[in-house]
Amino acid sequence: MEIEVLEGVFDANEIIAKENRTLLDGRGAFMVNLMASPGAGKTSFIMRTLEGISGEIKPAVIEGDIAGKVDSERIAEIGVAAIQINTGGSCHLEARQVNTALNHLDLDGVQLVIIENVGNLVCPAEFKLGEDLKVMILSVAEGHDKPLKYPLMFSESDVLIVNKIDLIPHTDFDMAFLEDTVRKMNPSVEIFKISCRTGVGVDAWIDWLKNRVKAS
Ligand SMILES: Nc1nc2c(ncn2[C@@H]2O[C@H](COP(=O)(O)OP(=O)(O)O)[C@@H](O)[C@H]2O)c(=O)[nH]1
Ligand SMILES: [Mg+2]
């Protein structure tokens, strides 16, 4: 019985995710669903990305958190349209919340919508939002074994960002093990190794993203 209820929830979510897709297609906008644990560097990564595309691609940001509006305020401070969704306890965003946010944002001329999902390595991977691209971040302090423990997000993501590589000398992080494990689960995944602190590796991601957005 419980399984039927869950399937109903996923089906209903998927219908609205398709509506989001239609809404964005009508405007020629590309949408990224960014997922990671709390503290992996999602907001820092968004700030670096906004800096990298500045003057070329017009962005808007949807911030998902259980509570508070710290992150959307950080984005708005640099003059980018941002809207905060508070899930009030839920560990992931759902398509209907993104739909509400899209309808509240001024999408005039916007080419790229970035969603910062709620910090969690499990639930966000289960809910489609109508995105073009699923991007996940793993920060090195979390450990190279995480794909073995949280396989869904690693196998569902189109892009894996390995962040905080500046901290590698202080950890036992095994990059070769990580890459090998992830590629076995997800052969087509794009992997970028970066530091949002120092900026190392960010340019390769920005170039790749710009091509994807322009090709869409
Ligand atoms: N050393 C280091 N710290 C980082 C890096 N990226 C983010 N941080 C720090 O990690 C913490 C969490 O970052 P934040 O972007 O808020 O993560 P979020 O919770 O995933 O949005 C902050 O103190 C950031 O300054 C990085 O590449 N290297
Ligand atoms: Mg954040």
Side-chain angles (χ1 to χ4, degrees), residues 20 24 31-35 42 46 60-64 85 93 98 102 112-118 129-131 133 135:
N20 292 346
L24 292 164
M31 187 158 76
V32 170
N33 178 8
L34 179 61
M35 304 175 286
K42 295 178 295 300
I46 291 173
V61 177
I62 297 174
E63 284 290 343
I85 300 171
L93 288 176
V98 171
L102 289 172
L112 173 65
V113 177
I114 304 177
I115 301 169
E116 178 173 342
N117 215 313
V118 180
L129 303 178
E131 68 276 71
L133 210 59
V135 178

Side-chain angles (χ1 to χ4, degrees), residues 37-45 71 74 116 163-167 194-197:
S37 306
K42 295 178 295 300
T43 310
S44 307
F45 178 72
D71 284 352
R74 267 172 86 184
E116 178 173 342
N163 187 33
K164 308 197 188 181
I165 60 170
D166 57 295
L167 296 180
I194 73 165
S195 167
C196 290
R197 170 68 47 87

Side-chain angles (χ1 to χ4, degrees), residues 63-135:
E63 284 290 343
D65 276 299
I66 287 175
K69 49 181 183 170
V70 180
D71 284 352
S72 59
E73 284 171 354
R74 267 172 86 184
I75 306 291
E77 263 171 32
I78 60 163
V80 170
I83 193 162
Q84 183 79 48
I85 300 171
N86 282 148
T87 63
S90 177
C91 55
H92 60 273
L93 288 176
E94 292 183 20
R96 69 181 160 77
Q97 294 166 317
V98 171
N99 189 270
T100 305
L102 289 172
N103 283 311
H104 278 83
L105 275 168
D106 177 7
L107 290 177
D108 203 27
V110 167
Q111 296 153 290
L112 173 65
V113 177
I114 304 177
I115 301 169
E116 178 173 342
N117 215 313
V118 180
N120 190 299
L121 268 188
V122 185
C123 318
E126 294 173 356
F127 288 83
K128 290 182 184 157
L129 303 178
E131 68 276 71
D132 295 273
L133 210 59
K134 282 190 165 84
V135 178

Side-chain angles (χ1 to χ4, degrees), residues 182-195:
V182 175
R183 289 201 194 282
K184 275 185 195 137
M185 306 164 78
N186 184 351
S188 63
V189 69
E190 294 282 343
I191 301 179
F192 296 95
K193 301 165 205 168
I194 73 165
S195 167

